[in-house]
Amino acid sequence: MSDLASRHASLDAADLEWLHLLVGDWQVVSDLAFADLVLWLPTSDGDFIAIAQCRPSTGATVHYDDVVGSRPPDGQRPQLRRSLTEVRAQRSREPRWFGSYAVREEAVPVVHDGRAIAVIARQTNLGGARTPSRLELNYVEAADDLMGMIARGHFPAVNAPTGPRRGAPRVGDGLIRLNSEGEVLYASPNALSCFHRLGAIGDLVGRSLVEVTTDVIDEPMAFDESMPLVLMGRAPWRTDLELHGVALSLRAVPLTEDGQRLGAVVLCRDVSELRRRERELMTKDATIREIHHRVKNNLQTVAALLRLQSRRMSSPEARDALAEAMRRVATIALVHETLSQTLDEIVPFDDLVGRSLRLAADVASAGGQVRTVVHGTFGLVPAEDATALALVLTELVTNAVEHGLSSQGGGTVDVTAERDGSELTITVADDGVGIPVGAGAGTGLGTQIVQTLVTNELRGTIAWEPREGGGTQVVLHIVLRNPGRDAATSGESGGW
């Protein structure tokens, strides 16, 4: 829509934002009117171009093919021009035929700051024309009021939030028409059922919706402060009402004319099952985070026991072995600590790797001046791969410090990450003594752990080689799980 507007017209930012607001909230108008809506923007060459369209979910559509990006037919242009220049709605006297069915057309100017900046074509399929029901008459009357507000620049409402919670009510879910005093003029059967589930008895017509709701409240409870304004139709807001195990999502659309309130349309939807599922998911998420938190605590306890045990060892080799085991357990605990603080089974690995590598380098250097520098970004890593990858990097940095830098009293370990979707290439390089050409990996326990994790857990490859300019570099290439998603910015676990 923005691209079409920039190529074919010269709208300022405020006008374009107004059109975006309109398109973001015009489905309710289309459903109430049983009509297709097409937004025609006047172009720089004096013509029009369709930049958005909306099909009704309550009736038959007119346009089975998209018309966005097309020009209007010759017979429609005069109507669009009159609506734009005269700044008032233009309705065709005779329907226009689209193949085998007739279409009633109306052109309504879109007004912003007192200026007509575009035109909406309201097109109703008359192929199934019959005597309208009371529900349909109320729908169309509400649609006429909203189209009039569009022509006066009073719809959409700038301060009408869509709401952060799912379950926004639609026209077919339940509709209530209110007068200016908040009394019910009409309630659709679905809307009546919603309030009957709350405990309201009898018909709603002629009664104040606020009083109906107040009468069914028989227990002290907290309510959203915006609820009375929504129930009276005075503010274009959304709210939820939960009572007696029933949850209703309510949205008010005030109707005005020349600054005077005509009434309002209140849409309602029974979202009891949706809210119940949301609570179940929240409980499950909290349980999973608590499990990660407890695993982290248990692993820290194991690390503390290993530390106490190492102090009682007289053999330096035994103390070093227990220290290495303690470090590995601490690395796994760090992964679970990170998972306990997130909603998804995804680890922001850049935060974790900085902490774990600094800890590994400090422990392995034993007082030497060792610096770890991380280049690039790891992104988000699935929990299935995070533990193995953290252990591998910790082992590689530890080996670089102990075997490459220890003899010269310190140095630098560079860790470079290159991410392309689910593919991750990591280089761990040090400026130490280096290894002979063709020597490859060593035979120590740390090297064996690394090779096993890379091959079996991460399904990747790893190679040791001399670094240009001195030192050693290890190149690791892996493909993270969930390759169908861009895990650099998002991802999810395949299951625990």
Side-chain angles (χ1 to χ4, degrees), residues 282-356:
M282 291 175 62
T283 301
K284 290 179 180 179
D285 288 340
T287 301
I288 292 173
R289 290 198 299 272
E290 178 63 20
I291 289 173
H292 284 304
H293 181 71
R294 294 189 181 188
V295 171
K296 182 263 296 184
N297 289 344
N298 291 339
L299 289 173
Q300 288 180 335
T301 301
V302 173
L305 293 174
L306 291 174
R307 186 182 300 109
L308 291 173
Q309 187 68 31
S310 67
R311 293 173 181 173
R312 294 177 176 271
M313 291 293 177
S314 58
S315 170
E317 292 80 3
R319 284 198 301 270
D320 292 342
L322 288 175
E324 289 184 1
M326 180 184 66
R327 171 175 46 78
R328 290 166 185 144
V329 171
T331 299
I332 300 175
L334 189 58
V335 174
H336 284 280
E337 180 183 6
T338 304
L339 287 170
S340 70
Q341 299 170 356
T342 63
L343 292 176
D344 300 315
E345 291 287 283
I346 306 167
V347 177
F349 207 78
D350 292 288
D351 297 335
L352 183 146
V353 76
R355 297 166 59 188
S356 62

Side-chain angles (χ1 to χ4, degrees), residues 32-350:
L32 287 171
F34 303 96
D36 287 64
L37 302 180
V38 180
L39 183 60
W40 294 100
L41 182 69
T43 60
S44 303
D45 58 3
D47 201 358
F48 292 87
I49 187 168
I51 61 172
Q53 74 178 100
C54 181
R55 296 181 176 91
S57 60
T58 53
T61 184
V62 172
H63 301 286
Y64 292 94
D65 297 324
D66 286 346
V67 299
V68 173
S70 66
R71 302 282 180 159
D74 293 337
Q76 193 179 11
R77 283 192 178 91
Q79 185 187 51
L80 297 177
R81 288 197 180 97
R82 286 197 305 272
S83 178
L84 187 70
T85 56
E86 297 178 14
V87 195
R88 63 186 180 91
Q90 303 286 334
R91 176 170 292 186
S92 300
R93 295 181 179 179
E94 298 292 334
R96 189 156 61 95
W97 285 88
F98 280 66
S100 61
Y101 55 90
V103 174
R104 182 172 63 244
E105 294 183 315
E106 181 182 14
V108 178
V110 178
V111 175
H112 181 230
D113 288 341
R115 298 174 292 106
I117 59 175
V119 179
I120 288 182
R122 172 181 172 180
Q123 299 175 307
T124 307
N125 189 331
L126 301 179
R130 56 181 174 77
T131 302
S133 65
R134 186 181 175 205
L135 179 144
E136 292 169 338
L137 289 174
N138 277 276
Y139 274 23
V140 173
E141 288 177 8
D144 291 340
D145 290 337
L146 288 174
M147 295 298 286
M149 291 175 62
I150 292 175
R152 294 188 293 272
H154 298 156
F155 186 87
V158 178
N159 61 339
T162 57
R165 307 183 73 182
R166 296 182 297 128
R170 298 161 295 186
V171 169
D173 295 324
L175 177 140
I176 298 174
R177 291 187 65 195
L178 304 178
N179 63 15
S180 59
E181 302 300 324
E183 296 175 345
V184 178
L185 298 176
Y186 172 78
S188 70
N190 286 345
L192 197 59
S193 297
C194 287
F195 278 86
H196 282 174
R197 293 189 190 103
L198 281 180
I201 301 174
D203 198 1
L204 299 180
V205 176
R207 302 167 64 186
S208 168
L209 197 58
V210 172
E211 294 179 0
V212 169
T213 306
T214 304
D215 290 342
V216 299
I217 299 175
D218 53 8
E219 56 188 33
M221 56 191 308
F223 288 102
D224 188 350
E225 294 180 355
S226 63
M227 185 178 299
L229 295 176
V230 173
L231 291 173
M232 294 186 68
R234 293 182 177 274
W237 295 339
R238 271 188 59 192
T239 187
D240 275 7
L241 172 61
E242 296 194 32
L243 191 66
H244 304 149
V246 177
L248 296 187
S249 178
L250 302 166
R251 180 198 174 184
V253 183
L255 304 176
T256 62
E257 182 177 5
D258 298 328
Q260 301 295 320
R261 292 183 62 253
L262 298 178
V265 170
V266 177
L267 305 179
C268 58
R269 177 184 178 186
D270 186 344
V271 292
S272 305
E273 182 64 18
L274 183 61
R275 295 294 177 257
R276 184 185 66 81
R277 293 182 181 181
E278 286 179 347
R279 285 191 289 268
E280 288 181 353
L281 289 175
M282 291 175 62
T283 301
K284 290 179 180 179
D285 288 340
T287 301
I288 292 173
R289 290 198 299 272
E290 178 63 20
I291 289 173
H292 284 304
H293 181 71
R294 294 189 181 188
V295 171
K296 182 263 296 184
N297 289 344
N298 291 339
L299 289 173
Q300 288 180 335
T301 301
V302 173
L305 293 174
L306 291 174
R307 186 182 300 109
L308 291 173
Q309 187 68 31
S310 67
R311 293 173 181 173
R312 294 177 176 271
M313 291 293 177
S314 58
S315 170
E317 292 80 3
R319 284 198 301 270
D320 292 342
L322 288 175
E324 289 184 1
M326 180 184 66
R327 171 175 46 78
R328 290 166 185 144
V329 171
T331 299
I332 300 175
L334 189 58
V335 174
H336 284 280
E337 180 183 6
T338 304
L339 287 170
S340 70
Q341 299 170 356
T342 63
L343 292 176
D344 300 315
E345 291 287 283
I346 306 167
V347 177
F349 207 78
D350 292 288

